[in-house]
Amino acid sequence: MRHRKAGRKFGRNTAQRQALLRQLAISMILHERITTTEAKAKALRPVVEKLVTIARDDSHANRHLIMRKLDHPLAMAKLFEVIAPRYEGVNGGYTRISKLEPRR
């Protein structure tokens, strides 16, 4: 039974899954929208929202935390300088999942 086991595995081991979510988060931050499967989008949403919440307070410690999670200087800079100020007074709900039509 799979009771009380949260999260999706996507048929990958832990390191591959973390790398997948990291790269999806980097793409999401850099392009501000991505096209992916609904399951991956639902798994990515809490990752990106936590990053934006951390980035709302611009400090050296928070920049270090974000860099540890993303390891991408351009994504970190855009997160702190463009995206986080946009959501300064908002308490969560920074991302939206829009469904597309089925693939051919």
Side-chain angles (χ1 to χ4, degrees):
M1 285 183 279
R2 203 180 166 278
H3 299 183
R4 299 181 67 167
K5 296 185 187 316
R8 292 180 169 92
K9 291 189 177 183
F10 302 118
R12 293 166 165 85
N13 61 34
T14 306
Q16 291 171 344
R17 192 167 48 251
Q18 287 174 346
L20 169 76
L21 289 175
R22 181 183 310 117
Q23 290 303 317
L24 283 173
I26 290 169
S27 295
M28 177 82 172
I29 290 167
L30 290 178
H31 303 293
E32 297 189 18
R33 70 173 48 198
I34 56 172
T35 303
T36 184
T37 63
E38 185 179 1
K40 287 177 187 171
K42 285 183 176 181
L44 178 65
R45 180 189 300 182
V47 174
V48 172
E49 295 215 357
K50 285 172 188 166
L51 292 174
V52 173
T53 301
I54 292 170
R56 284 172 51 186
D57 178 30
D58 191 359
S59 67
H60 181 71
N62 285 349
R63 285 183 177 266
H64 182 75
L65 277 174
I66 297 289
M67 196 60 182
R68 229 174 64 194
K69 292 183 184 296
L70 289 183
D71 197 29
H72 196 280
L74 293 176
M76 184 192 71
K78 181 165 184 177
L79 188 61
F80 277 97
E81 295 164 10
V82 178
I83 295 173
R86 186 183 305 164
Y87 299 108
E88 197 60 43
V90 182
N91 292 326
Y94 314 118
T95 58
R96 177 179 299 142
I97 296 175
S98 302
K99 291 188 181 181
L100 301 174
E101 59 196 27
R103 289 191 240 174
R104 295 181 71 181

